[in-house]
Amino acid sequence: MLVLPVLTYDPLDPATVNNPYPALAALRWQAPVSWHDGMSSWVVTRYNDCTAVLRDHTAFARDRRRTGQTVPEASLSVQSLDPPHQAGVRSLFMNALRAQDLPGLEARARERAVGLLREAADRPLFDVMAEFAGPLSLSVVCDLLGVDEPPLTEFAATSDAIMRSMDGGLDPALVEPGRQAREELTALVESWFAHTGRPGGLLAYVRAGLPTGADETEGLFIRNTARVMFQGGYSTMTAALGNALHTLTEYPGAQDRLRRDPRVVPWAAEELVRFDGPVQGTSRTATRDTTIAGIPIPASDPVVLLFAAANRDPARFPAPDQLLLDRRDNRHLGYGWGTHSCIGTRSAQACVRAALDALRTHPVPLRSAGTARRQPSATMRTFAVLPATLRP
């Protein structure tokens, strides 16, 4: 019989940061739609309820301006606009993605991953995040966009400040560093649009596809979307890789299976993200009085959809707490869902597949080599430090 803990959920409590799934299971079982005083928001934990909210753009807004709130210009992108207003920008970026050679991108990512593992194997231990996940993710996202890689250490600090500012509702001290970091990154992206840059790549396609006579507002949305794709793609890929490789060190039988059978790599890339995904949730605002699973939601109330809980909902995923590398029916919410899902989902999963295939063929399995430390973040589940070794 499943014994659930007392109903509590503090997303920044160290125990929750380390392992949120028992608390999320209790929340999903006892109060699947409930008001959370700490977040000043409704929280939704079941898969079907989360996807129902994500589908209903009329009753639940991503664009907070629809409920009378102010949104800084720097935050207006394809991720913060709602249909139909996001359609033009999203279509431009999705067409740009379809025009890319994603199999070639994945092959180059695998080559880079093999090289990083080879370098790591020369040391007694290494930090998966700083020496594998971060460099590989930056390489892949810059390859996709068709831009030169910025210095990793500086960019990682900027990205981290932006990522942590997403928890500004829980810790207001994170907001200003995130705003400053966003300004720095905006300047870099502006420089990409000001110069022709190298041919090929997603940004070259976007520049060429800019609508004739586009006004400054539309141009702003496009540049902001490029920034979000760059920073969000890097941080999400880095988090997904760290979580996946950590899981494989925790489940050596799964790593053995992966090394024996290359056919499971595509399914494993999805299952590892479902099992311990990078994006913990997202938010919406009720545009009118409505309900979720029969629970009344007043107009203007915020709603947080907890993807990490939905991805382990037994009503959607049989044996949800088991890692099943060959799970087939696996439409998880690890990168979001629908029109606001991560634009770079396909490239992120190509990066994960490349990393898994490189790890699968490395002569020595990956093992833990010290105490891992999570980033104290509620929105993005990622590691600060993840020591490992590739020595026998």
Side-chain angles (χ1 to χ4, degrees), residues 358-376:
L359 185 65
R360 182 187 67 79
T361 56
H362 191 79
V364 178
L366 184 74
R367 292 184 293 114
S368 175
T371 302
R373 178 167 55 87
R374 290 275 183 183
Q375 282 276 24

Side-chain angles (χ1 to χ4, degrees), residues 216-292:
E216 177 55 31
T217 299
E218 188 170 10
L220 175 71
F221 292 162
I222 289 169
R223 293 191 300 275
N224 286 349
T225 297
R227 188 199 69 233
V228 168
M229 191 170 187
F230 180 50
Q231 183 275 322
Y234 163 82
S235 61
T236 304
M237 280 187 214
T238 302
L241 286 171
N243 292 348
L245 269 60
H246 173 259
T247 298
L248 290 175
T249 65
E250 294 287 295
Y251 292 83
Q255 190 172 174
D256 290 344
R257 169 80 187 282
L258 188 69
R259 293 172 68 83
R260 289 195 313 270
D261 187 357
R263 294 172 299 176
V264 304
V265 168
W267 302 315
E270 299 296 339
E271 174 67 352
L272 286 162
V273 171
R274 181 203 70 83
F275 189 77
D276 195 18
V279 181
Q280 294 292 275
T282 191
S283 63
R284 296 291 185 269
T285 305
T287 61
R288 54 177 169 79
D289 290 347
T290 185
T291 62
I292 301 175

Side-chain angles (χ1 to χ4, degrees), residues 141-173:
V141 75
C142 288
D143 187 4
L144 175 67
L145 294 177
V147 299
D148 294 331
E149 292 185 29
L152 175 59
T153 301
E154 296 173 17
F155 174 68
T158 299
S159 177
D160 182 62
I162 295 172
M163 182 267 292
R164 295 195 66 196
S165 72
M166 292 189 290
D167 292 338
L170 294 166
D171 184 355

